[in-house]
Amino acid sequence: MSDTEGDSAAEGNAAYGKKSFKRSKSHFSDRVTADGRDGWPVEAGRYRLVVSRACPWASRAVISRRLLGLEEALPMAITDPIQDDRSWRFTLDPGGLDPVLGIRYLAEAYEAREPGHPGGVSVPAVVDVPSGRLVTNDYQQLTLDLATEWRDLHREGAPDLYPEALRDEIDEVAAGVYEDVNNGVYRAGFATGQKEYAAACEGVFGRLELLSQRLARRRYLVGDTITEADIRLFTTLVRFDAVYHGHFKCNRHKLTEDQVLWAYARDLYQTPGFGDTVDFDHIKRHYYQVHEGINPTRIVPLGPELSGWLTSHGREELGGRPFGDGSPPGPVPEGEEVPPAGRP
């Protein structure tokens, strides 16, 4: 996994056994843009977004796509949360084949792009449907491009997730969230040295304390609407008690024990486009069954209790407009609903 690359269990397991966890650099960082300057122009229906609902990096793209109304323009494939030695696979689809790409493993799209490529096979990934080739796995840039380069294909009333006037502040906040929270939980979880684990864990909770203080007086991280910064923090918070608290030993306290962050996370979860993309079943089974270096028994815990995600949060009192001058997304498209096993 890398600074610009999503989840790859093989690399995560390989990292276990080293004292500290470090992400490698992304190998495929092409961009799909309005002017097609990398050779990949924005075009409705041309590309397929491959994700795992278990992966926090992929979940950013799933949430952004839904909030912006890009479901028809950018169709989505959902992989099995459990990987084998060839990584992400399409065993949730009939016959174990992605119905559009016609492949069993995401690795086949990587190989079509560059045979024998270095590095792991990660999600999110954008695949060019006509050629079957991987376009990009640069999850950091992907959601920014969905918000900006894909604007002509946004739904009517789509929010501005990366407003130009706030980009410097969003980038600054998101950088701290990434270093200490998004990636910090992994550095704590995969550390095999006490010193390295302690430093990562302290970084996680130090940053969470700062974020809690910031959010005590404002509904959203930057400005008065939902932005890219909120999406990036949410995907870690929603997994915190389910996997990071126990599995990654980030157990100074639970999310539910921080009054501000727990209310903030519930507020977002109950906002259309957030909670309706979260599959707790996929999340738990992936982390506990794939990371065998951390959990060799592969036992998936029964808890935590999830009903609290649907309780009142009271954050409306802080004001703010979730979608700015826009509107919430419509119903979840048929076939993309989270199964009952993954919901509170």
Side-chain angles (χ1 to χ4, degrees):
M1 294 183 285
S2 76
D3 291 335
T4 50
E5 191 174 357
D7 243 7
S8 166
E11 188 167 352
N13 282 328
Y16 195 79
K18 301 176 182 178
K19 283 195 173 183
S20 60
F21 173 77
K22 185 177 181 180
R23 295 183 183 273
S24 59
K25 292 296 181 183
S26 176
H27 191 64
F28 301 103
S29 56
D30 286 3
R31 295 172 60 190
V32 179
T33 59
D35 63 6
R37 55 187 176 272
D38 283 357
W40 309 105
V42 171
E43 184 179 331
R46 175 173 172 175
Y47 307 99
R48 191 149 176 83
L49 175 66
V50 181
V51 304
S52 165
R53 291 197 189 274
C55 169
W57 320 105
S59 292
R60 297 178 179 184
V62 178
I63 292 170
S64 296
R65 170 182 174 270
R66 175 138 166 69
L67 291 175
L68 298 171
L70 290 170
E71 291 99 328
E72 291 188 10
L74 182 60
M76 183 171 71
I78 302 172
T79 66
D80 193 310
I82 308 302
Q83 300 151 287
D84 65 14
D85 58 355
R86 292 193 62 181
S87 194
W88 301 106
R89 51 191 183 158
F90 296 103
T91 50
L92 301 182
D93 294 301
L97 290 172
D98 178 84
V100 174
L101 299 173
I103 57 178
R104 294 186 180 278
Y105 292 90
L106 177 57
E108 296 174 58
Y110 276 69
E111 285 295 309
R113 170 67 184 272
E114 182 180 327
H117 69 93
V121 176
S122 65
V123 288
V126 175
V127 178
D128 178 50
V129 174
S131 67
R133 297 167 61 205
L134 176 77
V135 175
T136 182
N137 62 356
D138 187 346
Y139 78 95
Q140 294 277 50
Q141 186 62 45
L142 173 57
T143 49
L144 301 181
D145 284 343
L146 292 181
T148 55
E149 300 291 336
W150 290 69
R151 194 179 297 275
D152 287 348
L153 296 178
H154 290 181
R155 66 178 175 87
E156 184 177 355
D160 188 349
L161 299 176
Y162 196 47
E164 191 167 357
L166 298 176
R167 287 180 188 177
D168 287 346
E169 187 177 1
I170 291 171
D171 291 347
E172 181 181 3
V173 171
V177 169
Y178 170 79
E179 180 63 27
D180 294 326
V181 181
N182 300 148
N183 197 41
V185 294
Y186 279 82
R187 288 189 289 110
F190 285 113
T192 57
Q194 186 67 39
K195 179 180 177 182
E196 291 75 16
Y197 157 74
C201 194
E202 290 292 343
V204 169
F205 286 96
R207 181 66 61 176
L208 289 179
E209 183 177 352
L210 292 174
L211 292 166
S212 183
Q213 292 170 5
R214 182 183 184 95
L215 289 164
R217 57 185 183 273
R218 58 195 306 164
R219 190 170 180 185
Y220 304 112
L221 282 171
V222 181
D224 67 347
T225 65
I226 292 168
T227 69
E228 176 78 15
D230 297 294
I231 296 171
R232 294 188 178 204
L233 178 57
F234 174 79
T235 57
T236 296
L237 293 184
V238 79
R239 290 163 173 76
F240 203 88
D241 288 4
V243 290
Y244 301 144
H245 179 270
H247 185 59
F248 279 177
K249 304 179 185 69
C250 293
N251 60 0
R252 287 274 298 273
H253 60 73
K254 296 179 180 178
L255 174 66
T256 54
E257 295 169 350
D258 184 306
Q259 182 177 356
V260 172
L261 291 181
W262 175 222
Y264 166 79
R266 298 199 318 275
D267 186 6
L268 291 178
Y269 184 88
Q270 294 169 31
T271 299
F274 283 83
D276 53 27
T277 70
V278 175
D279 191 325
F280 285 106
D281 174 60
H282 278 207
I283 290 169
K284 289 172 59 178
R285 287 196 290 123
H286 170 74
Y287 280 90
Y288 286 103
Q289 293 188 326
V290 171
H291 296 158
E292 295 182 6
I294 298 174
N295 186 38
T297 65
R298 304 180 76 235
I299 292 173
V300 180
L302 296 179
E305 169 60 44
L306 299 175
S307 60
W309 284 100
L310 303 178
T311 60
S312 176
H313 52 76
R315 297 279 294 178
E316 303 94 335
E317 298 177 2
L318 294 173
R321 303 171 300 145
F323 303 99
D325 295 327
S327 58
V332 177
E334 184 178 357
E336 293 189 8
E337 306 93 341
V338 175
R343 304 195 302 260

